[in-house]
C-alpha cells in the first residue's frame, strides 16, 4: 500500500514548478470519470469510468480538461473498471471486459459541440493511452461523441422551428423526472389514419451513443429536399425518439444491464421504465388503427463488430403478411450497405424467455399482421464511427424504408 501511495504521489507531482495545473471536471450532463492521477509536466491524465454498476455497464467516460498548454499534446490514460456486472438475461455477474471501455479512437472536442476522432489509442498494460494535439486551453474527451437529453431537446426544437411538418412531443417523464423528447414527422393533407406509421427509437442502452446520432441523421434527411425523403414524409407518419434511457445518459452511467433490468429487457405487460410503457401505449394505438408498419430499435454492437448488424426474429413471432416484407427489407439493406451481419433468432419458444421481453419481439406480437421490426446495430469501433458516419447510416435507413413502402 505504501508503494502504491508513493507511485500515485509521484504521478501527481509536477516536475516543472512553472508548469500549468490541469483542471479536470465531470460535473456536467453525461460526464463520467474518476481521476486517478494528473502529471502536469507531461499533460497526462489517468482515469477510470465512474459509472455505478447498478446503473449499467461502467464503460462510458466523458470529461473536460481546462488550463491546457495548447502547444503541447495531452495524453489520456483510461483504465478499465474491472467491475462485476450482470451478464445478460441470466443475471449472472461477470467482469466487464476492457475492450468495452477502450474504443480504438476516442472522441474529442474543443467546444463541446463538434467532435473528432483521436488518433488510434495505444494499449499499454492495463490501460489505453490516447494522444491529442489540443490547439486549445480547453478540451472535452469522451468514449464517443456525446448526445445528451439536452442535446435531444435542442435538436428537436431546431427542426420543429424550421420545418412545420415536424412536431415535438414528450414521450414520457422518466423515473427521475426528466422529459423524454420525441419527434413526429408528417407532411401534407393526407389524413393520419391513411398513413402507415414508422417508429424509430434509440439508446435503450445509455452508452450506445451511436444510436442517437443515427436517429439524428434520419431526422435530418427527412427534413431535407431529397425527393425520396419528401415522398416518405408525405406518405407516412414517422416517429423518432433519439434517446430512450434519459436518466442513465444524464448521469454518465452505462444503462445496459442496469438493475432491475435495462430498457431493452423491459418490454413486459407492466414495464419498470415509464418511457417503455409510453412507447407501448403509442404503438398499441397505432396498431389499433391498423397502421403500425415498421419498427426500428437503434443500438451499437460489441467492440469487435465492424459491419452493420441486425437482429432478425423468426417468422413465428410475426403476422403472416410480415415475413416477405421482412426479407425484402433485408435485401434492401444489403443493396444500401453492401455487407451486413444478421443474427437470426430461432422459432418462438413455447415457454416465455427473457428474449421475448425485448422491444422488437413485443412489437411484432402486439402490432399488425404486416408489421416488421428489427434491432439495428451500427459499429462504434471503426474509423467511420463519427457523427458524420452515424448520420450517413440514418440517411441510408431512411432510403431503405422509403423503397420498401414505395414498392408495395
Amino acid at each position: 500500500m505504501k508503494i502504491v501511495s508513493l507511485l500515485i504521489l509521484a504521478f501527481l507531482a509536477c516536475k516543472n514548478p512553472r508548469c500549468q495545473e490541469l483542471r479536470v471536471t465531470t460535473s456536467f450532463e453525461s460526464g463520467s470519470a474518476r481521476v486517478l492521477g494528473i502529471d502536469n509536466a507531461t499533460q497526462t491524465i489517468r482515469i477510470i469510468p465512474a459509472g455505478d454498476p447498478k446503473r449499467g455497464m461502467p464503460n462510458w467516460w466523458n470529461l473536460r480538461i481546462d488550463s491546457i498548454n495548447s502547444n503541447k499534446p495531452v495524453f489520456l490514460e483510461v483504465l478499465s473498471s474491472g467491475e462485476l456486472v450482470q451478464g445478460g438475461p441470466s443475471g449472472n455477474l461477470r467482469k466487464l471486459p476492457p475492450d468495452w471501455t477502450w474504443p480504438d479512437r476516442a472522441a474529442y472536442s474543443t467546444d463541446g459541440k463538434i467532435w473528432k476522432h483521436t488518433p488510434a489509442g495505444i494499449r499499454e498494460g492495463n490501460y489505453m493511452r490516447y494522444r491529442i494535439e489540443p490547439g486549445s486551453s480547453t478540451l472535452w474527451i469522451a468514449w464517443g461523441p456525446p448526445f445528451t437529453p439536452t442535446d435531444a431537446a435542442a435538436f428537436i426544437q431546431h427542426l420543429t422551428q424550421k420545418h412545420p411538418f415536424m412536431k415535438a412531443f414528450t414521450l414520457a417523464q422518466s423515473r427521475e423526472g426528466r422529459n423524454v423528447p420525441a419527434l413526429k414527422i408528417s407532411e401534407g393533407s393526407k389524413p393520419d389514419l391513411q398513413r402507415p406509421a414508422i417508429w424509430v427509437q434509440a439508446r435503450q442502452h445509455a452508452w450506445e451513443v451511436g444510436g442517437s446520432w443515427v436517429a439524428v441523421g434520419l431526422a435530418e434527411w427527412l427534413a431535407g429536399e431529397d425527393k425520396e425523403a419528401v415522398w416518405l414524409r408525405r406518405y407516412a407518419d414517422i416517429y423518432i425518439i433519439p434517446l430512450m434511457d434519459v436518466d442513465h445518459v444524464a448521469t454518465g452511467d452505462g444503462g445496459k444491464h442496469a438493475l432491475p433490468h435495462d430498457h431493452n429487457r423491459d418490454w413486459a405487460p407492466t414495464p419498470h421504465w415509464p418511457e417503455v410503457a409510453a412507447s407501448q401505449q403509442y404503438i398499441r394505438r397505432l396498431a389499433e388503427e391498423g397502421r403500425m408498419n415498421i419498427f426500428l430499435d437503434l443500438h451499437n454492437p460489441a467492440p469487435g463488430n465492424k459491419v452493420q448488424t441486425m437482429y432478425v426474429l423468426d417468422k413465428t413471432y410475426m403476422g403472416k403478411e410480415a415475413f416477405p416484407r421482412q426479407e425484402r427489407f433485408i435485401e434492401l439493406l444489403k443493396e444500401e450497405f453492401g455487407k451486413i451481419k444478421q443474427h437470426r433468432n430461432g422459432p418462438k419458444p413455447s415457454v416465455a424467455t427473457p428474449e421475448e421481453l425485448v422491444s422488437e419481439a413485443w412489437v411484432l406480437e402486439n402490432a399488425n399482421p404486416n408489421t416488421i421490426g428489427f434491432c439495428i446495430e451500427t459499429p462504434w469501433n471503426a474509423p467511420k464511427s463519427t457523427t458524420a458516419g452515424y448520420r450517413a447510416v440514418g440517411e441510408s435507413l431512411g432510403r431503405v424504408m422509403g423503397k420498401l413502402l414505395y414498392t408495395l
Side-chain angles (χ1 to χ4, degrees):
M1 180 63 71
K2 184 176 180 180
I3 293 174
V4 172
S5 299
L6 288 173
L7 286 172
I8 293 174
L9 288 172
F11 189 83
L12 288 168
C14 179
K15 300 172 185 177
N16 181 349
R18 293 183 297 173
C19 66
Q20 295 175 247
E21 292 189 3
L22 301 175
R23 298 197 311 273
V24 178
T25 182
T26 59
S27 57
F28 53 87
E29 192 176 37
S30 203
S32 176
R34 180 159 58 90
V35 178
L36 302 179
I38 300 175
D39 186 328
N40 290 296
T42 62
Q43 297 203 130
T44 301
I45 298 164
R46 180 171 287 193
I47 66 162
I48 194 169
D52 181 351
K54 294 179 181 179
R55 293 173 67 86
M57 290 167 43
N59 60 324
W60 173 262
W61 43 271
N62 182 10
L63 63 150
R64 190 183 76 228
I65 309 169
D66 293 298
S67 298
I68 295 170
N69 181 342
S70 60
N71 297 315
K72 296 171 55 179
V74 170
F75 297 94
L76 181 70
E77 298 177 349
V78 182
L79 278 73
S80 176
S81 72
E83 295 277 5
L84 296 178
V85 296
Q86 288 192 94
S90 67
N92 295 331
L93 293 178
R94 63 182 178 89
K95 184 177 287 188
L96 180 65
D99 284 356
W100 294 87
T101 305
W102 296 338
D104 292 342
R105 299 163 183 82
Y108 78 98
S109 173
T110 57
D111 61 4
K113 299 176 182 178
I114 299 174
W115 293 87
K116 302 177 181 179
H117 263 166
T118 68
I122 299 174
R123 298 191 182 193
E124 300 184 8
N126 66 337
Y127 64 89
M128 179 75 92
R129 181 179 175 90
Y130 303 97
R131 176 186 174 124
I132 307 101
E133 301 290 343
S136 171
S137 62
T138 296
L139 193 65
W140 285 259
I141 312 177
W143 178 97
F147 190 87
T148 68
T150 299
D151 293 329
F155 173 70
I156 290 173
Q157 182 182 31
H158 169 73
L159 288 180
T160 56
Q161 288 178 345
K162 190 175 180 180
H163 305 286
F165 53 81
M166 293 188 160
K167 305 295 184 185
F169 68 99
T170 298
L171 175 67
Q173 191 172 71
S174 72
R175 294 184 71 87
E176 296 175 7
R178 298 179 178 90
N179 288 336
V180 183
L183 180 67
K184 180 185 177 183
I185 304 170
S186 182
E187 186 178 27
S189 59
K190 184 180 179 181
D192 278 0
L193 291 178
Q194 296 178 18
R195 294 173 179 264
I198 298 170
W199 187 275
V200 181
Q201 62 183 36
R203 299 285 285 287
Q204 290 209 88
H205 297 147
W207 69 271
E208 296 174 17
V209 67
S212 286
W213 287 108
V214 171
V216 164
L218 172 61
E220 289 174 334
W221 177 74
L222 286 164
E225 293 307 311
D226 187 308
K227 65 179 181 180
E228 293 173 285
V230 174
W231 180 87
L232 185 56
R233 69 183 186 237
R234 289 178 177 172
Y235 180 77
D237 282 345
I238 305 106
Y239 298 83
I240 299 177
I241 297 85
L243 202 169
M244 286 281 285
D245 187 1
V246 294
D247 287 342
H248 293 135
V249 170
T251 56
D253 291 292
K256 186 171 183 176
H257 303 322
L259 298 177
H261 45 252
D262 64 44
H263 286 59
N264 202 36
R265 299 290 176 187
D266 194 40
W267 290 67
T270 55
H272 174 77
W273 304 106
E275 44 272 31
V276 172
S279 295
Q280 289 181 339
Q281 290 173 6
Y282 272 93
I283 291 168
R284 278 197 188 97
R285 177 176 60 79
L286 294 170
E288 288 169 0
E289 295 169 353
R291 59 197 193 96
M292 184 61 217
N293 199 280
I294 302 173
F295 173 83
L296 300 183
D297 188 28
L298 305 179
H299 288 255
N300 288 134
N305 194 341
K306 309 292 186 180
V307 299
Q308 199 67 35
T309 300
M310 63 190 307
Y311 281 80
V312 184
L313 291 177
D314 187 77
K315 60 184 178 181
T316 53
Y317 282 88
M318 64 193 72
K320 60 182 180 180
E321 300 172 28
F323 185 69
R325 298 187 71 232
Q326 170 184 277
E327 298 306 297
R328 174 60 180 156
F329 187 90
I330 294 169
E331 290 304 313
L332 290 169
L333 276 181
K334 292 177 182 178
E335 292 175 11
E336 188 71 26
F337 289 101
K339 184 178 181 181
I340 66 170
K341 182 177 181 179
Q342 297 182 50
H343 293 284
R344 293 258 179 179
N345 285 51
K348 179 182 173 183
S350 56
V351 178
T353 69
E355 290 299 324
E356 291 187 83
L357 301 181
V358 298
S359 55
E360 63 268 25
W362 184 92
V363 170
L364 293 183
E365 291 185 348
N366 289 273
N368 300 121
N370 67 335
T371 305
I372 58 173
F374 304 94
C375 170
I376 303 288
E377 296 191 330
T378 302
W380 58 268
N381 208 18
K384 290 185 178 181
S385 304
T386 61
T387 56
Y390 289 135
R391 282 174 154 117
V393 171
E395 178 177 334
S396 291
L397 290 175
R399 294 185 189 281
V400 167
M401 291 188 290
K403 289 177 182 177
L404 178 72
L405 292 174
Y406 188 76
T407 55
L408 292 182

